[in-house]
Amino acid sequence: GQQVMQIPQYQHVQEGEDFTTYCNSSTTLSNIQWYKQRPGGHPVFLIQLVKSGEVKKQKRLTFQFGEAKKNSSLHITATQTTDVGTYFCAAPRSNDYKLSFGAGTTVTVRA
Amino acid sequence: DTAVSQTPKYLVTQMGNDKSIKCEQNLGHDTMYWYKQDSKKFLKIMFSYNNKELIINETVPNRFSPKSPDKAHLNLHINSLELGDSAVYFCASSQVAGPYEQYFGPGTRLTVT
């Protein structure tokens, strides 16, 4: 079945620095979603990308969908302690629309 | 107002016991899900119901039995609990079945000793 591969698994960032997490698929995706889970919390929907090459911004977060719709990235600029958590990408399977979640990128921030 | 709620938040029990987790959503959504998140944070779907009808049933031991009395509620009953069942179980809902954003409940941390 379709899988979305997410890298890196862990990201240790100095406060104020930028970082990027990537999500890759071997098949074309109809859309891709991003979720954030704070430590001890539950996944919270951030955004959905649908169009090829689409770029969306939420304050310091920039989400991109690849031209071939097989990959996506989340770039965070000027990381803050509030960015700590695990970021998941998720994409629907073509046969039943079930969301397949990536393994997540767990972000820690050094003050 | 809580959109998706789960009870209990924590559940500690012994091997062999039977336990239930309850979930309710007040968003008016048609579709509800159960996910299992292991210690490595991997999220795996277990079941999905659309308007009380089971639409997704992943490879889950038959000790796990979901039940949806109405479209706002989805419960999960687990028989003969095993150590490997220890995890965080999340309920979620979406407006309709399909590739749409999902709203997650706060989770139930199940510990089997």
mmCIF file of all heavy atoms in Angstrom, chain A residues 36-83:
data_model
loop_
_atom_site.group_PDB
_atom_site.id
_atom_site.type_symbol
_atom_site.label_atom_id
_atom_site.label_comp_id
_atom_site.label_asym_id
_atom_site.label_seq_id
_atom_site.Cartn_x
_atom_site.Cartn_y
_atom_site.Cartn_z
ATOM 1 N N LYS A 36 0.338 18.827 13.691
ATOM 2 C CA LYS A 36 1.335 19.052 14.737
ATOM 3 C C LYS A 36 0.808 18.439 16.038
ATOM 4 O O LYS A 36 -0.363 18.624 16.390
ATOM 5 C CB LYS A 36 1.595 20.543 14.952
ATOM 6 C CG LYS A 36 2.572 20.820 16.106
ATOM 7 C CD LYS A 36 2.756 22.313 16.336
ATOM 8 C CE LYS A 36 3.703 22.554 17.512
ATOM 9 N NZ LYS A 36 3.890 24.005 17.790
ATOM 10 N N GLN A 37 1.685 17.723 16.720
ATOM 11 C CA GLN A 37 1.326 17.139 18.005
ATOM 12 C C GLN A 37 2.305 17.650 19.053
ATOM 13 O O GLN A 37 3.497 17.337 19.015
ATOM 14 C CB GLN A 37 1.367 15.610 17.945
ATOM 15 C CG GLN A 37 0.928 14.923 19.217
ATOM 16 C CD GLN A 37 0.921 13.407 19.097
ATOM 17 O OE1 GLN A 37 1.470 12.833 18.168
ATOM 18 N NE2 GLN A 37 0.277 12.729 20.035
ATOM 19 N N ARG A 38 1.804 18.438 19.989
ATOM 20 C CA ARG A 38 2.646 18.919 21.076
ATOM 21 C C ARG A 38 2.914 17.762 22.036
ATOM 22 O O ARG A 38 2.120 16.809 22.105
ATOM 23 C CB ARG A 38 1.960 20.061 21.818
ATOM 24 C CG ARG A 38 1.794 21.310 20.983
ATOM 25 C CD ARG A 38 1.140 22.416 21.785
ATOM 26 N NE ARG A 38 0.849 23.588 20.970
ATOM 27 C CZ ARG A 38 1.716 24.561 20.740
ATOM 28 N NH1 ARG A 38 2.916 24.522 21.273
ATOM 29 N NH2 ARG A 38 1.363 25.590 19.994
ATOM 30 N N PRO A 39 4.001 17.822 22.802
ATOM 31 C CA PRO A 39 4.276 16.760 23.776
ATOM 32 C C PRO A 39 3.093 16.557 24.712
ATOM 33 O O PRO A 39 2.588 17.501 25.304
ATOM 34 C CB PRO A 39 5.503 17.300 24.528
ATOM 35 C CG PRO A 39 6.177 18.202 23.548
ATOM 36 C CD PRO A 39 5.076 18.838 22.764
ATOM 37 N N GLY A 40 2.657 15.303 24.813
ATOM 38 C CA GLY A 40 1.516 14.990 25.669
ATOM 39 C C GLY A 40 0.170 15.358 25.077
ATOM 40 O O GLY A 40 -0.861 15.160 25.722
ATOM 41 N N GLY A 41 0.178 15.882 23.872
ATOM 42 C CA GLY A 41 -1.076 16.332 23.256
ATOM 43 C C GLY A 41 -1.549 15.415 22.151
ATOM 44 O O GLY A 41 -1.113 14.278 22.030
ATOM 45 N N HIS A 42 -2.457 15.938 21.358
ATOM 46 C CA HIS A 42 -3.019 15.173 20.262
ATOM 47 C C HIS A 42 -2.701 15.864 18.944
ATOM 48 O O HIS A 42 -2.419 17.067 18.914
ATOM 49 C CB HIS A 42 -4.542 15.046 20.431
ATOM 50 C CG HIS A 42 -5.261 16.355 20.504
ATOM 51 N ND1 HIS A 42 -5.364 17.088 21.660
ATOM 52 C CD2 HIS A 42 -5.901 17.074 19.538
ATOM 53 C CE1 HIS A 42 -6.045 18.188 21.424
ATOM 54 N NE2 HIS A 42 -6.371 18.218 20.151
ATOM 55 N N PRO A 43 -2.720 15.124 17.839
ATOM 56 C CA PRO A 43 -2.447 15.760 16.542
ATOM 57 C C PRO A 43 -3.479 16.835 16.232
ATOM 58 O O PRO A 43 -4.680 16.632 16.425
ATOM 59 C CB PRO A 43 -2.550 14.593 15.550
ATOM 60 C CG PRO A 43 -2.306 13.371 16.364
ATOM 61 C CD PRO A 43 -2.910 13.674 17.707
ATOM 62 N N VAL A 44 -2.987 17.963 15.743
ATOM 63 C CA VAL A 44 -3.842 19.074 15.367
ATOM 64 C C VAL A 44 -3.582 19.405 13.907
ATOM 65 O O VAL A 44 -2.432 19.584 13.500
ATOM 66 C CB VAL A 44 -3.580 20.314 16.252
ATOM 67 C CG1 VAL A 44 -4.377 21.512 15.756
ATOM 68 C CG2 VAL A 44 -3.912 20.016 17.701
ATOM 69 N N PHE A 45 -4.631 19.476 13.142
ATOM 70 C CA PHE A 45 -4.522 19.770 11.716
ATOM 71 C C PHE A 45 -3.931 21.161 11.500
ATOM 72 O O PHE A 45 -4.348 22.134 12.128
ATOM 73 C CB PHE A 45 -5.916 19.696 11.085
ATOM 74 C CG PHE A 45 -5.972 20.113 9.642
ATOM 75 C CD1 PHE A 45 -5.610 19.227 8.642
ATOM 76 C CD2 PHE A 45 -6.396 21.384 9.287
ATOM 77 C CE1 PHE A 45 -5.679 19.600 7.307
ATOM 78 C CE2 PHE A 45 -6.467 21.766 7.953
ATOM 79 C CZ PHE A 45 -6.104 20.876 6.970
ATOM 80 N N LEU A 46 -2.934 21.242 10.614
ATOM 81 C CA LEU A 46 -2.332 22.533 10.278
ATOM 82 C C LEU A 46 -2.807 23.029 8.922
ATOM 83 O O LEU A 46 -3.243 24.181 8.784
ATOM 84 C CB LEU A 46 -0.800 22.415 10.251
ATOM 85 C CG LEU A 46 -0.098 22.123 11.580
ATOM 86 C CD1 LEU A 46 1.400 21.963 11.352
ATOM 87 C CD2 LEU A 46 -0.379 23.219 12.594
ATOM 88 N N ILE A 47 -2.686 22.158 7.904
ATOM 89 C CA ILE A 47 -2.962 22.625 6.548
ATOM 90 C C ILE A 47 -3.139 21.448 5.601
ATOM 91 O O ILE A 47 -2.705 20.335 5.900
ATOM 92 C CB ILE A 47 -1.810 23.529 6.071
ATOM 93 C CG1 ILE A 47 -2.291 24.575 5.082
ATOM 94 C CG2 ILE A 47 -0.665 22.702 5.472
ATOM 95 C CD1 ILE A 47 -1.395 25.781 5.016
ATOM 96 N N GLN A 48 -3.789 21.727 4.479
ATOM 97 C CA GLN A 48 -3.908 20.742 3.408
ATOM 98 C C GLN A 48 -3.453 21.384 2.105
ATOM 99 O O GLN A 48 -3.835 22.517 1.804
ATOM 100 C CB GLN A 48 -5.351 20.258 3.274
ATOM 101 C CG GLN A 48 -5.557 19.274 2.128
ATOM 102 C CD GLN A 48 -6.931 18.647 2.150
ATOM 103 O OE1 GLN A 48 -7.198 17.731 2.912
ATOM 104 N NE2 GLN A 48 -7.807 19.139 1.308
ATOM 105 N N LEU A 49 -2.646 20.659 1.345
ATOM 106 C CA LEU A 49 -2.185 21.118 0.038
ATOM 107 C C LEU A 49 -2.778 20.204 -1.016
ATOM 108 O O LEU A 49 -2.780 18.979 -0.854
ATOM 109 C CB LEU A 49 -0.654 21.085 -0.030
ATOM 110 C CG LEU A 49 0.071 21.875 1.059
ATOM 111 C CD1 LEU A 49 1.564 21.585 1.007
ATOM 112 C CD2 LEU A 49 -0.176 23.360 0.888
ATOM 113 N N VAL A 50 -3.248 20.796 -2.085
ATOM 114 C CA VAL A 50 -3.940 20.019 -3.109
ATOM 115 C C VAL A 50 -3.312 20.181 -4.496
ATOM 116 O O VAL A 50 -3.214 19.216 -5.250
ATOM 117 C CB VAL A 50 -5.431 20.423 -3.178
ATOM 118 C CG1 VAL A 50 -6.157 19.625 -4.247
ATOM 119 C CG2 VAL A 50 -6.096 20.212 -1.832
ATOM 120 N N LYS A 51 -2.881 21.378 -4.814
ATOM 121 C CA LYS A 51 -2.422 21.659 -6.178
ATOM 122 C C LYS A 51 -0.927 21.419 -6.340
ATOM 123 O O LYS A 51 -0.137 21.654 -5.424
ATOM 124 C CB LYS A 51 -2.730 23.103 -6.529
ATOM 125 C CG LYS A 51 -4.206 23.447 -6.503
ATOM 126 C CD LYS A 51 -4.409 24.921 -6.811
ATOM 127 C CE LYS A 51 -5.866 25.320 -6.690
ATOM 128 N NZ LYS A 51 -6.062 26.765 -6.885
ATOM 129 N N SER A 52 -0.544 21.002 -7.528
ATOM 130 C CA SER A 52 0.859 20.816 -7.865
ATOM 131 C C SER A 52 1.618 22.121 -7.673
ATOM 132 O O SER A 52 1.177 23.178 -8.148
ATOM 133 C CB SER A 52 0.957 20.366 -9.324
ATOM 134 O OG SER A 52 2.272 20.429 -9.793
ATOM 135 N N GLY A 53 2.759 22.056 -6.949
ATOM 136 C CA GLY A 53 3.582 23.240 -6.732
ATOM 137 C C GLY A 53 3.025 24.236 -5.740
ATOM 138 O O GLY A 53 3.574 25.320 -5.568
ATOM 139 N N GLU A 54 1.949 23.866 -5.067
ATOM 140 C CA GLU A 54 1.300 24.804 -4.151
ATOM 141 C C GLU A 54 2.203 25.155 -2.974
ATOM 142 O O GLU A 54 2.914 24.308 -2.451
ATOM 143 C CB GLU A 54 -0.008 24.193 -3.641
ATOM 144 C CG GLU A 54 -0.887 25.129 -2.829
ATOM 145 C CD GLU A 54 -2.254 24.540 -2.545
ATOM 146 O OE1 GLU A 54 -2.459 23.322 -2.754
ATOM 147 O OE2 GLU A 54 -3.139 25.306 -2.113
ATOM 148 N N VAL A 55 2.164 26.423 -2.598
ATOM 149 C CA VAL A 55 2.910 26.917 -1.442
ATOM 150 C C VAL A 55 1.934 27.687 -0.563
ATOM 151 O O VAL A 55 1.219 28.564 -1.045
ATOM 152 C CB VAL A 55 4.081 27.830 -1.854
ATOM 153 C CG1 VAL A 55 4.790 28.368 -0.599
ATOM 154 C CG2 VAL A 55 5.060 27.093 -2.746
ATOM 155 N N LYS A 56 1.920 27.331 0.722
ATOM 156 C CA LYS A 56 1.066 28.062 1.663
ATOM 157 C C LYS A 56 1.888 28.455 2.884
ATOM 158 O O LYS A 56 2.793 27.713 3.285
ATOM 159 C CB LYS A 56 -0.127 27.208 2.102
ATOM 160 C CG LYS A 56 -1.184 27.014 1.038
ATOM 161 C CD LYS A 56 -2.401 26.313 1.624
ATOM 162 C CE LYS A 56 -3.503 26.179 0.598
ATOM 163 N NZ LYS A 56 -4.703 25.502 1.152
ATOM 164 N N LYS A 57 1.554 29.615 3.424
ATOM 165 C CA LYS A 57 2.295 30.092 4.592
ATOM 166 C C LYS A 57 1.353 30.324 5.761
ATOM 167 O O LYS A 57 0.216 30.802 5.600
ATOM 168 C CB LYS A 57 3.033 31.383 4.261
ATOM 169 C CG LYS A 57 4.172 31.192 3.282
ATOM 170 C CD LYS A 57 5.025 32.453 3.171
ATOM 171 C CE LYS A 57 6.224 32.199 2.262
ATOM 172 N NZ LYS A 57 7.140 33.343 2.199
ATOM 173 N N GLN A 58 1.850 29.981 6.941
ATOM 174 C CA GLN A 58 1.161 30.307 8.180
ATOM 175 C C GLN A 58 2.227 30.914 9.091
ATOM 176 O O GLN A 58 3.001 30.194 9.701
ATOM 177 C CB GLN A 58 0.567 29.057 8.839
ATOM 178 C CG GLN A 58 -0.601 28.443 8.134
ATOM 179 C CD GLN A 58 -1.114 27.201 8.862
ATOM 180 O OE1 GLN A 58 -0.505 26.708 9.811
ATOM 181 N NE2 GLN A 58 -2.233 26.670 8.404
ATOM 182 N N LYS A 59 2.268 32.207 9.132
ATOM 183 C CA LYS A 59 3.255 32.931 9.941
ATOM 184 C C LYS A 59 4.666 32.430 9.591
ATOM 185 O O LYS A 59 5.139 32.635 8.477
ATOM 186 C CB LYS A 59 2.944 32.772 11.426
ATOM 187 C CG LYS A 59 1.609 33.397 11.819
ATOM 188 C CD LYS A 59 1.333 33.274 13.300
ATOM 189 C CE LYS A 59 -0.022 33.884 13.624
ATOM 190 N NZ LYS A 59 -0.367 33.754 15.070
ATOM 191 N N ARG A 60 5.340 31.770 10.492
ATOM 192 C CA ARG A 60 6.719 31.326 10.229
ATOM 193 C C ARG A 60 6.782 29.946 9.565
ATOM 194 O O ARG A 60 7.868 29.416 9.313
ATOM 195 C CB ARG A 60 7.498 31.304 11.541
ATOM 196 C CG ARG A 60 7.685 32.666 12.194
ATOM 197 C CD ARG A 60 8.407 32.569 13.540
ATOM 198 N NE ARG A 60 7.591 31.830 14.527
ATOM 199 C CZ ARG A 60 7.804 30.569 14.844
ATOM 200 N NH1 ARG A 60 8.793 29.888 14.294
ATOM 201 N NH2 ARG A 60 7.044 29.983 15.740
ATOM 202 N N LEU A 61 5.638 29.358 9.281
ATOM 203 C CA LEU A 61 5.599 28.028 8.670
ATOM 204 C C LEU A 61 5.281 28.150 7.186
ATOM 205 O O LEU A 61 4.329 28.834 6.808
ATOM 206 C CB LEU A 61 4.519 27.169 9.340
ATOM 207 C CG LEU A 61 4.861 26.448 10.645
ATOM 208 C CD1 LEU A 61 5.237 27.409 11.764
ATOM 209 C CD2 LEU A 61 3.710 25.562 11.077
ATOM 210 N N THR A 62 6.086 27.491 6.356
ATOM 211 C CA THR A 62 5.850 27.468 4.913
ATOM 212 C C THR A 62 5.703 26.018 4.476
ATOM 213 O O THR A 62 6.603 25.200 4.707
ATOM 214 C CB THR A 62 7.004 28.122 4.144
ATOM 215 O OG1 THR A 62 7.149 29.481 4.576
ATOM 216 C CG2 THR A 62 6.728 28.106 2.637
ATOM 217 N N PHE A 63 4.582 25.731 3.837
ATOM 218 C CA PHE A 63 4.275 24.390 3.366
ATOM 219 C C PHE A 63 4.337 24.382 1.843
ATOM 220 O O PHE A 63 3.852 25.299 1.190
ATOM 221 C CB PHE A 63 2.865 23.979 3.796
ATOM 222 C CG PHE A 63 2.633 24.032 5.274
ATOM 223 C CD1 PHE A 63 2.260 25.222 5.887
ATOM 224 C CD2 PHE A 63 2.770 22.895 6.059
ATOM 225 C CE1 PHE A 63 2.029 25.274 7.251
ATOM 226 C CE2 PHE A 63 2.538 22.940 7.420
ATOM 227 C CZ PHE A 63 2.166 24.135 8.023
ATOM 228 N N GLN A 64 4.930 23.323 1.309
ATOM 229 C CA GLN A 64 5.066 23.234 -0.139
ATOM 230 C C GLN A 64 4.685 21.847 -0.617
ATOM 231 O O GLN A 64 5.004 20.843 0.026
ATOM 232 C CB GLN A 64 6.515 23.553 -0.536
ATOM 233 C CG GLN A 64 6.731 23.724 -2.016
ATOM 234 C CD GLN A 64 8.042 24.414 -2.311
ATOM 235 O OE1 GLN A 64 8.841 24.663 -1.424
ATOM 236 N NE2 GLN A 64 8.258 24.735 -3.565
ATOM 237 N N PHE A 65 4.010 21.787 -1.754
ATOM 238 C CA PHE A 65 3.652 20.544 -2.412
ATOM 239 C C PHE A 65 4.437 20.474 -3.706
ATOM 240 O O PHE A 65 4.441 21.434 -4.485
ATOM 241 C CB PHE A 65 2.155 20.525 -2.701
ATOM 242 C CG PHE A 65 1.548 19.160 -2.860
ATOM 243 C CD1 PHE A 65 2.248 17.992 -2.610
ATOM 244 C CD2 PHE A 65 0.217 19.033 -3.267
ATOM 245 C CE1 PHE A 65 1.666 16.744 -2.741
ATOM 246 C CE2 PHE A 65 -0.380 17.778 -3.398
ATOM 247 C CZ PHE A 65 0.345 16.642 -3.130
ATOM 248 N N GLY A 66 5.128 19.377 -3.947
ATOM 249 C CA GLY A 66 5.983 19.273 -5.112
ATOM 250 C C GLY A 66 5.232 19.319 -6.427
ATOM 251 O O GLY A 66 4.027 19.033 -6.484
ATOM 252 N N GLU A 67 5.951 19.650 -7.465
ATOM 253 C CA GLU A 67 5.343 19.755 -8.790
ATOM 254 C C GLU A 67 4.748 18.427 -9.242
ATOM 255 O O GLU A 67 3.703 18.388 -9.900
ATOM 256 C CB GLU A 67 6.383 20.218 -9.821
ATOM 257 C CG GLU A 67 6.891 21.638 -9.624
ATOM 258 C CD GLU A 67 5.849 22.684 -9.952
ATOM 259 O OE1 GLU A 67 4.861 22.346 -10.651
ATOM 260 O OE2 GLU A 67 5.991 23.842 -9.505
ATOM 261 N N ALA A 68 5.400 17.336 -8.903
ATOM 262 C CA ALA A 68 4.898 16.017 -9.286
ATOM 263 C C ALA A 68 3.893 15.462 -8.276
ATOM 264 O O ALA A 68 3.372 14.358 -8.454
ATOM 265 C CB ALA A 68 6.068 15.037 -9.428
ATOM 266 N N LYS A 69 3.615 16.211 -7.229
ATOM 267 C CA LYS A 69 2.690 15.811 -6.164
ATOM 268 C C LYS A 69 3.122 14.487 -5.529
ATOM 269 O O LYS A 69 2.299 13.643 -5.172
ATOM 270 C CB LYS A 69 1.251 15.722 -6.692
ATOM 271 C CG LYS A 69 0.733 17.063 -7.206
ATOM 272 C CD LYS A 69 -0.708 17.000 -7.699
ATOM 273 C CE LYS A 69 -1.692 16.884 -6.597
ATOM 274 N NZ LYS A 69 -3.090 16.995 -7.041
ATOM 275 N N LYS A 70 4.433 14.331 -5.386
ATOM 276 C CA LYS A 70 4.955 13.137 -4.714
ATOM 277 C C LYS A 70 5.732 13.496 -3.458
ATOM 278 O O LYS A 70 6.188 12.607 -2.733
ATOM 279 C CB LYS A 70 5.876 12.354 -5.658
ATOM 280 C CG LYS A 70 5.156 11.649 -6.793
ATOM 281 C CD LYS A 70 6.125 10.804 -7.594
ATOM 282 C CE LYS A 70 5.404 10.016 -8.676
ATOM 283 N NZ LYS A 70 6.341 9.157 -9.438
ATOM 284 N N ASN A 71 5.904 14.778 -3.220
ATOM 285 C CA ASN A 71 6.623 15.159 -2.022
ATOM 286 C C ASN A 71 6.116 16.490 -1.500
ATOM 287 O O ASN A 71 5.470 17.262 -2.221
ATOM 288 C CB ASN A 71 8.130 15.228 -2.282
ATOM 289 C CG ASN A 71 8.461 16.146 -3.432
ATOM 290 O OD1 ASN A 71 8.323 17.356 -3.347
ATOM 291 N ND2 ASN A 71 8.885 15.572 -4.541
ATOM 292 N N SER A 72 6.427 16.719 -0.234
ATOM 293 C CA SER A 72 5.990 17.942 0.420
ATOM 294 C C SER A 72 7.022 18.312 1.471
ATOM 295 O O SER A 72 7.797 17.455 1.922
ATOM 296 C CB SER A 72 4.624 17.737 1.068
ATOM 297 O OG SER A 72 4.189 18.932 1.699
ATOM 298 N N SER A 73 7.041 19.557 1.821
ATOM 299 C CA SER A 73 7.965 20.001 2.856
ATOM 300 C C SER A 73 7.301 21.022 3.758
ATOM 301 O O SER A 73 6.346 21.719 3.360
ATOM 302 C CB SER A 73 9.233 20.599 2.231
ATOM 303 O OG SER A 73 8.922 21.762 1.489
ATOM 304 N N LEU A 74 7.800 21.081 4.966
ATOM 305 C CA LEU A 74 7.392 22.088 5.950
ATOM 306 C C LEU A 74 8.660 22.787 6.420
ATOM 307 O O LEU A 74 9.579 22.134 6.938
ATOM 308 C CB LEU A 74 6.686 21.427 7.134
ATOM 309 C CG LEU A 74 6.600 22.223 8.448
ATOM 310 C CD1 LEU A 74 5.920 23.567 8.240
ATOM 311 C CD2 LEU A 74 5.884 21.414 9.521
ATOM 312 N N HIS A 75 8.722 24.077 6.192
ATOM 313 C CA HIS A 75 9.888 24.863 6.576
ATOM 314 C C HIS A 75 9.473 25.831 7.677
ATOM 315 O O HIS A 75 8.475 26.548 7.532
ATOM 316 C CB HIS A 75 10.415 25.640 5.358
ATOM 317 C CG HIS A 75 11.621 26.460 5.655
ATOM 318 N ND1 HIS A 75 12.883 25.918 5.760
ATOM 319 C CD2 HIS A 75 11.764 27.785 5.884
ATOM 320 C CE1 HIS A 75 13.753 26.875 6.036
ATOM 321 N NE2 HIS A 75 13.107 28.025 6.123
ATOM 322 N N ILE A 76 10.213 25.832 8.764
ATOM 323 C CA ILE A 76 9.935 26.762 9.863
ATOM 324 C C ILE A 76 11.116 27.721 9.995
ATOM 325 O O ILE A 76 12.272 27.295 10.114
ATOM 326 C CB ILE A 76 9.688 26.020 11.190
ATOM 327 C CG1 ILE A 76 8.479 25.084 11.048
ATOM 328 C CG2 ILE A 76 9.454 27.023 12.328
ATOM 329 C CD1 ILE A 76 8.101 24.341 12.310
ATOM 330 N N THR A 77 10.824 28.984 9.967
ATOM 331 C CA THR A 77 11.876 29.981 10.128
ATOM 332 C C THR A 77 11.883 30.506 11.562
ATOM 333 O O THR A 77 10.859 30.514 12.244
ATOM 334 C CB THR A 77 11.670 31.169 9.162
ATOM 335 O OG1 THR A 77 10.376 31.739 9.418
ATOM 336 C CG2 THR A 77 11.720 30.718 7.724
ATOM 337 N N ALA A 78 13.072 30.899 12.007
ATOM 338 C CA ALA A 78 13.253 31.508 13.332
ATOM 339 C C ALA A 78 12.535 30.694 14.407
ATOM 340 O O ALA A 78 11.641 31.193 15.100
ATOM 341 C CB ALA A 78 12.764 32.952 13.312
ATOM 342 N N THR A 79 12.962 29.450 14.542
ATOM 343 C CA THR A 79 12.306 28.520 15.449
ATOM 344 C C THR A 79 12.173 29.079 16.857
ATOM 345 O O THR A 79 13.109 29.690 17.392
ATOM 346 C CB THR A 79 13.102 27.210 15.499
ATOM 347 O OG1 THR A 79 13.240 26.707 14.176
ATOM 348 C CG2 THR A 79 12.377 26.168 16.335
ATOM 349 N N GLN A 80 11.007 28.838 17.441
ATOM 350 C CA GLN A 80 10.736 29.263 18.815
ATOM 351 C C GLN A 80 10.425 28.032 19.664
ATOM 352 O O GLN A 80 10.123 26.964 19.139
ATOM 353 C CB GLN A 80 9.558 30.232 18.836
ATOM 354 C CG GLN A 80 9.790 31.504 18.046
ATOM 355 C CD GLN A 80 8.574 32.415 18.024
ATOM 356 O OE1 GLN A 80 7.520 32.112 18.589
ATOM 357 N NE2 GLN A 80 8.718 33.565 17.375
ATOM 358 N N THR A 81 10.456 28.210 20.965
ATOM 359 C CA THR A 81 10.184 27.072 21.865
ATOM 360 C C THR A 81 8.752 26.559 21.667
ATOM 361 O O THR A 81 8.470 25.400 21.941
ATOM 362 C CB THR A 81 10.404 27.462 23.326
ATOM 363 O OG1 THR A 81 9.636 28.625 23.629
ATOM 364 C CG2 THR A 81 11.879 27.751 23.596
ATOM 365 N N THR A 82 7.880 27.419 21.189
ATOM 366 C CA THR A 82 6.500 26.991 20.937
ATOM 367 C C THR A 82 6.387 26.043 19.743
ATOM 368 O O THR A 82 5.328 25.451 19.517
ATOM 369 C CB THR A 82 5.589 28.203 20.681
ATOM 370 O OG1 THR A 82 6.170 28.991 19.635
ATOM 371 C CG2 THR A 82 5.435 29.038 21.941
ATOM 372 N N ASP A 83 7.467 25.906 18.986
ATOM 373 C CA ASP A 83 7.453 25.003 17.826
ATOM 374 C C ASP A 83 7.764 23.558 18.212
ATOM 375 O O ASP A 83 7.687 22.668 17.366
ATOM 376 C CB ASP A 83 8.468 25.474 16.783
ATOM 377 C CG ASP A 83 8.130 26.830 16.206
ATOM 378 O OD1 ASP A 83 6.912 27.111 16.012
ATOM 379 O OD2 ASP A 83 9.050 27.626 15.952
#
